[in-house]
PDB file of all heavy atoms in Angstrom:
ATOM      1  N   MET A 256      62.801  57.788  28.827  1.00  0.00           N
ATOM      2  CA  MET A 256      64.196  57.394  28.936  1.00  0.00           C
ATOM      3  C   MET A 256      64.949  58.402  29.804  1.00  0.00           C
ATOM      4  O   MET A 256      65.720  58.005  30.671  1.00  0.00           O
ATOM      5  CB  MET A 256      64.790  57.319  27.523  1.00  0.00           C
ATOM      6  CG  MET A 256      66.206  56.881  27.494  1.00  0.00           C
ATOM      7  SD  MET A 256      66.288  55.123  27.788  1.00  0.00           S
ATOM      8  CE  MET A 256      67.926  54.814  27.338  1.00  0.00           C
ATOM      9  N   LYS A 257      64.730  59.716  29.543  1.00  0.00           N
ATOM     10  CA  LYS A 257      65.411  60.737  30.315  1.00  0.00           C
ATOM     11  C   LYS A 257      64.955  60.719  31.767  1.00  0.00           C
ATOM     12  O   LYS A 257      65.763  60.887  32.682  1.00  0.00           O
ATOM     13  CB  LYS A 257      65.143  62.098  29.685  1.00  0.00           C
ATOM     14  CG  LYS A 257      65.965  63.202  30.265  1.00  0.00           C
ATOM     15  CD  LYS A 257      65.756  64.486  29.499  1.00  0.00           C
ATOM     16  CE  LYS A 257      66.674  65.540  30.070  1.00  0.00           C
ATOM     17  NZ  LYS A 257      66.578  66.788  29.362  1.00  0.00           N
ATOM     18  N   LYS A 258      63.667  60.473  31.986  1.00  0.00           N
ATOM     19  CA  LYS A 258      63.133  60.412  33.337  1.00  0.00           C
ATOM     20  C   LYS A 258      63.744  59.229  34.097  1.00  0.00           C
ATOM     21  O   LYS A 258      64.053  59.329  35.274  1.00  0.00           O
ATOM     22  CB  LYS A 258      61.612  60.292  33.279  1.00  0.00           C
ATOM     23  CG  LYS A 258      60.939  60.350  34.625  1.00  0.00           C
ATOM     24  CD  LYS A 258      59.441  60.285  34.481  1.00  0.00           C
ATOM     25  CE  LYS A 258      58.800  60.366  35.855  1.00  0.00           C
ATOM     26  NZ  LYS A 258      57.347  60.271  35.767  1.00  0.00           N
ATOM     27  N   GLN A 259      63.947  58.109  33.394  1.00  0.00           N
ATOM     28  CA  GLN A 259      64.557  56.932  34.007  1.00  0.00           C
ATOM     29  C   GLN A 259      65.987  57.226  34.466  1.00  0.00           C
ATOM     30  O   GLN A 259      66.401  56.808  35.543  1.00  0.00           O
ATOM     31  CB  GLN A 259      64.608  55.788  32.987  1.00  0.00           C
ATOM     32  CG  GLN A 259      63.870  54.577  33.409  1.00  0.00           C
ATOM     33  CD  GLN A 259      63.953  53.508  32.330  1.00  0.00           C
ATOM     34  OE1 GLN A 259      64.441  53.718  31.224  1.00  0.00           O
ATOM     35  NE2 GLN A 259      63.440  52.347  32.664  1.00  0.00           N
ATOM     36  N   LYS A 260      66.744  57.958  33.672  1.00  0.00           N
ATOM     37  CA  LYS A 260      68.120  58.305  34.023  1.00  0.00           C
ATOM     38  C   LYS A 260      68.154  59.214  35.248  1.00  0.00           C
ATOM     39  O   LYS A 260      69.007  59.062  36.117  1.00  0.00           O
ATOM     40  CB  LYS A 260      68.823  58.986  32.852  1.00  0.00           C
ATOM     41  CG  LYS A 260      69.206  58.043  31.747  1.00  0.00           C
ATOM     42  CD  LYS A 260      69.966  58.776  30.658  1.00  0.00           C
ATOM     43  CE  LYS A 260      70.336  57.834  29.544  1.00  0.00           C
ATOM     44  NZ  LYS A 260      71.068  58.492  28.477  1.00  0.00           N
ATOM     45  N   ILE A 261      67.220  60.145  35.310  1.00  0.00           N
ATOM     46  CA  ILE A 261      67.167  61.057  36.453  1.00  0.00           C
ATOM     47  C   ILE A 261      66.836  60.281  37.721  1.00  0.00           C
ATOM     48  O   ILE A 261      67.459  60.483  38.762  1.00  0.00           O
ATOM     49  CB  ILE A 261      66.140  62.191  36.200  1.00  0.00           C
ATOM     50  CG1 ILE A 261      66.650  63.103  35.083  1.00  0.00           C
ATOM     51  CG2 ILE A 261      65.875  62.979  37.470  1.00  0.00           C
ATOM     52  CD1 ILE A 261      65.642  64.131  34.624  1.00  0.00           C
ATOM     53  N   VAL A 262      65.869  59.380  37.658  1.00  0.00           N
ATOM     54  CA  VAL A 262      65.497  58.573  38.813  1.00  0.00           C
ATOM     55  C   VAL A 262      66.675  57.688  39.234  1.00  0.00           C
ATOM     56  O   VAL A 262      66.989  57.561  40.427  1.00  0.00           O
ATOM     57  CB  VAL A 262      64.242  57.715  38.512  1.00  0.00           C
ATOM     58  CG1 VAL A 262      63.996  56.687  39.609  1.00  0.00           C
ATOM     59  CG2 VAL A 262      63.032  58.605  38.327  1.00  0.00           C
ATOM     60  N   MET A 263      67.372  57.085  38.277  1.00  0.00           N
ATOM     61  CA  MET A 263      68.518  56.229  38.575  1.00  0.00           C
ATOM     62  C   MET A 263      69.642  57.039  39.225  1.00  0.00           C
ATOM     63  O   MET A 263      70.248  56.611  40.203  1.00  0.00           O
ATOM     64  CB  MET A 263      69.037  55.549  37.299  1.00  0.00           C
ATOM     65  CG  MET A 263      70.138  54.522  37.582  1.00  0.00           C
ATOM     66  SD  MET A 263      70.786  53.739  36.112  1.00  0.00           S
ATOM     67  CE  MET A 263      69.347  52.901  35.512  1.00  0.00           C
ATOM     68  N   PHE A 264      69.898  58.223  38.701  1.00  0.00           N
ATOM     69  CA  PHE A 264      70.939  59.086  39.265  1.00  0.00           C
ATOM     70  C   PHE A 264      70.585  59.502  40.695  1.00  0.00           C
ATOM     71  O   PHE A 264      71.420  59.478  41.587  1.00  0.00           O
ATOM     72  CB  PHE A 264      71.136  60.326  38.384  1.00  0.00           C
ATOM     73  CG  PHE A 264      72.139  61.286  38.926  1.00  0.00           C
ATOM     74  CD1 PHE A 264      73.491  60.997  38.890  1.00  0.00           C
ATOM     75  CD2 PHE A 264      71.733  62.484  39.516  1.00  0.00           C
ATOM     76  CE1 PHE A 264      74.419  61.870  39.407  1.00  0.00           C
ATOM     77  CE2 PHE A 264      72.646  63.366  40.043  1.00  0.00           C
ATOM     78  CZ  PHE A 264      74.005  63.059  39.983  1.00  0.00           C
ATOM     79  N   ALA A 265      69.332  59.854  40.925  1.00  0.00           N
ATOM     80  CA  ALA A 265      68.890  60.251  42.267  1.00  0.00           C
ATOM     81  C   ALA A 265      69.011  59.080  43.244  1.00  0.00           C
ATOM     82  O   ALA A 265      69.433  59.247  44.388  1.00  0.00           O
ATOM     83  CB  ALA A 265      67.451  60.760  42.229  1.00  0.00           C
TER      84      ALA A 265
END
Side-chain angles (χ1 to χ4, degrees):
M256 182 75 167
K257 189 174 184 178
K258 185 178 181 182
Q259 240 179 353
K260 285 183 181 180
I261 292 172
V262 170
M263 186 181 297
F264 177 73

